[in-house]
Amino acid sequence: MRDIRTAPFVEEMRKTTVNMYRLGWDERNGGNISYMLNEYEVAEYLDLQKVIRRIPIGFEAKPLIGKIIIVTGTGKYFKNVADDPETNLGIIRIAADGCTAELLWGYKDGGKFTSELPAHLMSHMARLSVNPENRVVMHCHPTYTLAMNYVHELDEKKFTHTLWEMCTECIVVFPDGVGVLPWMLCGTNSIGEATAEKMKEFRLVVWGMHGIYGAGKDMDETFGLIETVEKAAQIYMLTAHLPRINTIKDTEMVELAEFFGVDYRKDFLNL
Ligand code: 13P
Ligand code: ZN
């Protein structure tokens, strides 16, 4: 059996959490990541018959039965993941009842998966129903995106449109736009259900006055989506209080979307 600390998926979790922490997206224990793994990848490093603990997940995730997921731990700091992945991360498998997580590795200090597991697993289910390649769900508290929540209407058409105006690449990177939820109590099944509903339509969902969720087929795609929103929000926050002299016009966004061949939310433009 190979040493799991050298596994590429553990390495990806370490690198991504370091990046997110350094960008200021994940203060203290803020943020969480779940990354669905292939059984054959994990079998090289772990005996899949050996379950360390069984932890109830508090809802039913039947479509994910048998799926193996590496997930950040609740209360754990992203800044500490790289030095001690076995305490700050865990690898779980959804048991045959669909309501229990079988711990295969990690949470060494007796901890457990993120309190946002409902939003993560429900989002995985929602994304997989529209894109079978989806593997990553990521949540964080990026500074400018969050700041924008306080000064911009939390309306998904208006919010997306403003972001699209802020950087030329935006409409190409997230042509499907950004879903927006109002402030809701986090860590609950309800916010998980609301997030998953949005995830059927969007790969990005803003949690009003809290943060953002991204979903994608790999770590780069997911990170890149959030990074692009955050960059656009930064430009917005640096300019919102100044007279706007120039902007990217809706007709130019259409030009971009057509040139790059992306299927964009036409109803989010004002043509
Ligand atoms: P966890 O520490 O449980 O992952 O929660 C962090 C967070 O961002 C809650 O929304
Ligand atoms: Zn959060």
Side-chain angles (χ1 to χ4, degrees), residues 117-145:
L117 198 74
H120 280 260
L121 296 193
M122 292 179 196
S123 292
H124 276 288
M125 294 191 263
R127 286 310 305 166
L128 286 171
S129 71
V130 289
N131 177 10
E133 291 207 322
N134 195 87
R135 292 176 75 189
V136 178
V137 174
M138 191 181 278
H139 164 62
C140 56
H141 308 156
T143 312
Y144 292 94
T145 305

Side-chain angles (χ1 to χ4, degrees), residues 4-5 7 9-17 32-35 52-53 69-74 76-78 80-92 103-114 219:
I4 184 130
R5 284 167 303 180
F9 47 83
V10 171
E11 191 61 16
E12 277 185 277
M13 291 293 280
R14 293 163 92 145
K15 284 191 172 155
T16 307
T17 46
N32 17 79
I33 305 176
S34 58
Y35 179 14
I52 301 170
R53 277 187 276 147
I69 306 157
I70 185 163
V71 198
T72 51
T74 186
K76 300 298 189 236
Y77 293 24
F78 272 26
N80 297 337
V81 172
D83 285 343
D84 188 2
E86 199 170 349
T87 301
N88 295 291
L89 304 175
I91 296 180
I92 57 169
L103 181 63
L104 302 175
W105 174 82
Y107 307 141
K108 203 175 71 176
D109 60 354
K112 65 178 223 173
F113 42 74
T114 173
M219 211 61 94

Side-chain angles (χ1 to χ4, degrees), residues 7 10 52 55 62 101 106 120 126 148 154 172 212 214 243 254-255 268:
V10 171
I52 301 170
I55 317 171
K62 286 240 156 78
H120 280 260
M148 187 171 162
L154 291 177
V172 181
I212 192 164
V254 173
E255 240 185 285
F268 282 6

Side-chain angles (χ1 to χ4, degrees), residues 183-213:
W183 184 91
M184 288 178 77
L185 187 61
C186 55
T188 61
N189 287 350
S190 312
I191 201 169
E193 284 153 13
T195 309
E197 201 47 45
K198 293 285 179 200
M199 282 280 180
K200 289 180 190 159
E201 224 181 309
F202 302 101
R203 290 171 298 157
L204 287 158
V205 180
V206 163
W207 276 10
M209 278 82 70
H210 180 139
I212 192 164
Y213 267 76

Side-chain angles (χ1 to χ4, degrees), residues 130-172:
V130 289
N131 177 10
E133 291 207 322
N134 195 87
R135 292 176 75 189
V136 178
V137 174
M138 191 181 278
H139 164 62
C140 56
H141 308 156
T143 312
Y144 292 94
T145 305
L146 203 40
M148 187 171 162
N149 276 221
Y150 291 86
V151 297
H152 193 285
E153 277 174 88
L154 291 177
D155 167 273
E156 51 207 21
K157 172 178 171 169
K158 288 181 186 158
F159 202 88
T160 299
H161 190 271
T162 299
L163 293 173
W164 281 352
E165 281 180 321
M166 294 299 126
C167 307
T168 293
E169 277 89 349
C170 278
I171 194 166
V172 181

